[in-house]
Structure formats: structure tokens, C-alpha cells
Amino acid sequence: MAENKLQESIATLKKAGVRITPQRHAVLDYLLNSMTHPTADDIYKALEGKFPNMSVATVYNNLRVLKEVGLVRELTYGDSSSRFDCNTSEHYHIICEKCNKIEDFHYPSLDEVEKLAAQVTGYDVSHHRLEVYGICQECQQLDKEKQ
Amino acid sequence: MAENKLQESIATLKKAGVRITPQRHAVLDYLLNSMTHPTADDIYKALEGKFPNMSVATVYNNLRVLKEVGLVRELTYGDSSSRFDCNTSEHYHIICEKCNKIEDFHYPSLDEVEKLAAQVTGYDVSHHRLEVYGICQECQQLDKEKQ
DNA sequence: CTCACTGCAAAACGTTTGCACTAGG
DNA sequence: CCTAGTGCAAACGTTTTGCAGTGAG
């Protein structure tokens, strides 16, 4: 499955005239296989072993390229650094306010909201973003144990 | 109306044991009366006239305090700097992808989404955040004129 | 009077940029 | 080949911090 995705993504890159460098391949591969939503620095650290002298700039450059081609989404939340996510299927995020974990969850796309927003504001709507915040099960458990 | 809000907010601060300094008062006042969603720097610049030697740090400190008390929300978008918004009534934001304007719009709160998210993920949900992206009417107009 | 808050400067942080070098196609 | 991409370091803009001095309650 992940293999297919990778081949598919590489095909997209080639079609866009983007070169497949080992570093770029590794960044893409890491993002496709990571269930977490890593920061640029996470990716940098994760690939440090394979590419001892890769620079952070390269990670950022590649993330920008992958974003431009539409393979990757950049998520900006309250905390200082951006997180990156493979733009696979439509899904929303739920974020733990204690441990900052980000998990995916599925919900039928809120088309009516987009429609109503367009009507009320006169905007030409392109997309929307929704996040739910709360405390994850593990953190709830930890809280209980403390008391 | 805005006066009431200000008195109310000050009462909240006092109850929380927070001192009402002139700078703090000004930041709060500015946020309450601004329809835009200013960055810390916007606020700093706006109050420069009244407080020639107020430092940026003070703006940030005050925004943090106001956030902690729950009077102010911090919004982070793609662009580098955070924006601040008075946590008055529940509302959503619609953002122009051309000129980066942020406008408020009202929509019945998506309680079902929160409920479903809680069920699916087991989170103890506290709130959610929704933004709609598109092109505002002015920018649509400008685009038409260009063609 | 006292302690929370201010102002200033310096530092931290994530991200971007300029440039010479390298390697993918 | 030739140009896109790399690595490095320095630069950038936003936010935070440490500390001495100040003023709100």
C-alpha cells in the first residue's frame, strides 16, 4: 500500500519536472510512513542517521517543493513550529491540549458550511479547515491516577 | 456596548488578581475595538503614539496574561505571526487567500461534530476551530478587472 | 510597602536566503 | 552537459527571557 503511494507520488513529482534526489525521496518516504504529523525538525532528526550531512535547509526546501506539487500539507497550530502531513485523503484533526498529540479522525465533509459561508460573505470559497481540541485518553488516565 | 465589554473584562481581570496597568488597559481596549485581527506588532505600532516607550515585550506579556484569563484567543495561520482576537462570542473566520483579510462569520455551532469526534476518539473534547478559505469580493472584483 | 509589571537588550527559535559545489536527468 | 538541488552559514522576523527599576493596589 505504502509502496504504491510512494510510486504514485514519485510519478507526480516526475511529471512536474522535479528531480528525485536521495534526500527528497527520504523525506517523502518518511512522511508517507509516519502516522504522526512531524515538524521539519522531526524529519531532520529522523533522517540524520541516513544522511549525516544533510542540512535543515534541505528539509525545508523539499517540504516546500512537495507542498507546491500538492503532495504535502502544512499544518500550523498554536505551538511554534509547523507540522507536515501527507495530503492523502480528506480528514480532520483532533489535538490533545496536554501532550500536543495530533490524531486523524474522519467526518463527512462539511460542504453545507462552505456553501453557507459563501452565501453570507460573498467569498469564492475554496476549502476549509477544522480542528477539534480536547484531552486524549492517555492524558485523561494520567490525570485520574494523580488524584 | 464596547464600554460594557471593557468594564466586564476589567472586572474579570481584577477577579483573577491581575493589575490594570495603563499599557494593559490600552492593549485590551485596542483589541476590543478593532474589527481586524491584529498581530502583536500591529498592536505595538498602534499604541506607539500613546506609549512612546512601551516595549514589544510588554505587548506580548499582556497578550499572554489576557489569554490565560480567557479574554483573548491566539490564532495561528500559515503566515509567520500570530493574530489575536477577543474571545467575545462564538464565531468562525473566513480568510481571503489573496489579501489575507480575516472576517468573522456566524454559523450555528457544530456541536454534533464535537460529539462525534469525542465518540470516535475517546477524547474529552473542549472546543473546536473552523476556518473557511476563499477569495473575498474585492479581490474577485480586482481579478475581473485585470482580464 | 510590596510584588506584579514594565522597559530594554540580548537570546532563542523556526525558517529563509545567498552562494559555491554537486549530481540528477 | 546544464540546471535543479545540496550543504553550510549567516540573516531574518517573531517571540521569549533576564534583570534592574517602577508604579498599582
Side-chain angles (χ1 to χ4, degrees):
Chain A
M1 290 302 270
E3 276 306 302
N4 288 348
K5 264 279 180 256
L6 184 57
Q7 294 312 322
E8 219 175 276
S9 304
I10 289 175
T12 309
L13 286 172
K14 279 191 177 158
K15 207 159 69 182
V18 175
R19 290 187 187 164
I20 317 297
T21 65
Q23 292 88 337
R24 186 161 294 160
H25 189 284
V27 169
L28 183 57
D29 191 46
Y30 181 76
L31 269 170
L32 281 168
N33 290 318
S34 82
M35 283 296 88
T36 67
H37 301 74
T39 62
D41 202 55
D42 290 338
I43 301 170
Y44 174 60
K45 289 213 179 80
L47 301 182
E48 220 168 22
K50 234 186 277 181
F51 299 91
N53 40 5
M54 179 170 64
S55 69
V56 224
T58 299
V59 175
Y60 278 104
N61 286 339
N62 284 322
L63 287 171
R64 182 172 35 73
V65 170
L66 294 174
K67 243 170 42 188
E68 280 165 8
V69 183
L71 288 173
V72 163
R73 262 198 297 179
E74 182 173 0
L75 309 169
T76 54
Y77 300 109
D79 53 347
S80 42
S81 44
S82 287
R83 295 171 169 279
F84 297 87
D85 188 14
C86 271
N87 209 355
T88 55
S89 65
E90 250 328 306
H91 64 266
Y92 298 115
H93 293 121
I94 186 159
I95 300 163
C96 178
E97 291 175 297
K98 283 260 161 122
C99 65
N100 292 317
K101 178 173 31 186
I102 301 177
E103 294 185 73
D104 297 343
F105 84 94
H106 292 267
Y107 189 85
S109 189
L110 298 163
D111 294 328
E112 324 102 59
V113 183
E114 286 199 2
K115 269 184 210 149
L116 188 121
Q119 276 175 33
V120 174
T121 61
Y123 274 52
D124 183 10
V125 171
S126 68
H127 66 285
H128 67 273
R129 160 182 170 172
L130 167 75
E131 282 123 33
V132 179
Y133 293 83
I135 311 289
C136 73
Q137 291 185 310
E138 285 99 85
C139 288
Q140 288 178 46
Q141 197 60 41
L142 285 173
D143 282 359
K144 265 185 206 160
E145 283 166 16
K146 268 184 199 159
Q147 287 165 4
Chain B
M1 293 298 272
E3 275 309 300
N4 287 348
K5 264 279 179 256
L6 184 58
Q7 293 313 322
E8 219 175 276
S9 303
I10 289 175
T12 309
L13 286 172
K14 278 191 177 156
K15 208 159 68 182
V18 175
R19 291 188 185 161
I20 317 296
T21 66
Q23 294 88 336
R24 186 161 294 161
H25 189 283
V27 169
L28 182 58
D29 190 46
Y30 181 75
L31 268 170
L32 280 168
N33 291 318
S34 82
M35 283 295 88
T36 65
H37 301 73
T39 62
D41 200 55
D42 290 339
I43 301 172
Y44 174 60
K45 290 212 178 81
L47 301 182
E48 221 167 23
K50 233 185 278 179
F51 300 90
N53 40 5
M54 180 170 62
S55 69
V56 225
T58 299
V59 175
Y60 278 104
N61 286 338
N62 284 323
L63 288 171
R64 182 172 36 74
V65 171
L66 295 173
K67 244 169 42 186
E68 280 164 8
V69 183
L71 288 173
V72 163
R73 263 195 297 178
E74 181 174 359
L75 306 169
T76 54
Y77 299 108
D79 53 346
S80 42
S81 43
S82 286
R83 297 172 166 279
F84 296 87
D85 187 15
C86 270
N87 209 358
T88 55
S89 64
E90 250 328 306
H91 64 268
Y92 299 115
H93 293 122
I94 187 160
I95 300 163
C96 178
E97 292 175 296
K98 283 258 161 127
C99 66
N100 291 316
K101 179 174 30 185
I102 301 177
E103 295 186 73
D104 297 344
F105 84 94
H106 292 269
Y107 187 86
S109 190
L110 299 163
D111 293 329
E112 324 104 56
V113 183
E114 285 199 2
K115 268 182 212 151
L116 188 122
Q119 276 175 31
V120 174
T121 62
Y123 273 54
D124 183 10
V125 170
S126 69
H127 66 286
H128 67 275
R129 162 179 172 175
L130 167 75
E131 283 121 31
V132 180
Y133 293 83
I135 311 289
C136 74
Q137 290 185 311
E138 285 100 85
C139 288
Q140 287 177 46
Q141 199 60 42
L142 286 173
D143 282 0
K144 267 185 204 158
E145 283 165 16
K146 270 184 198 161
Q147 289 167 1

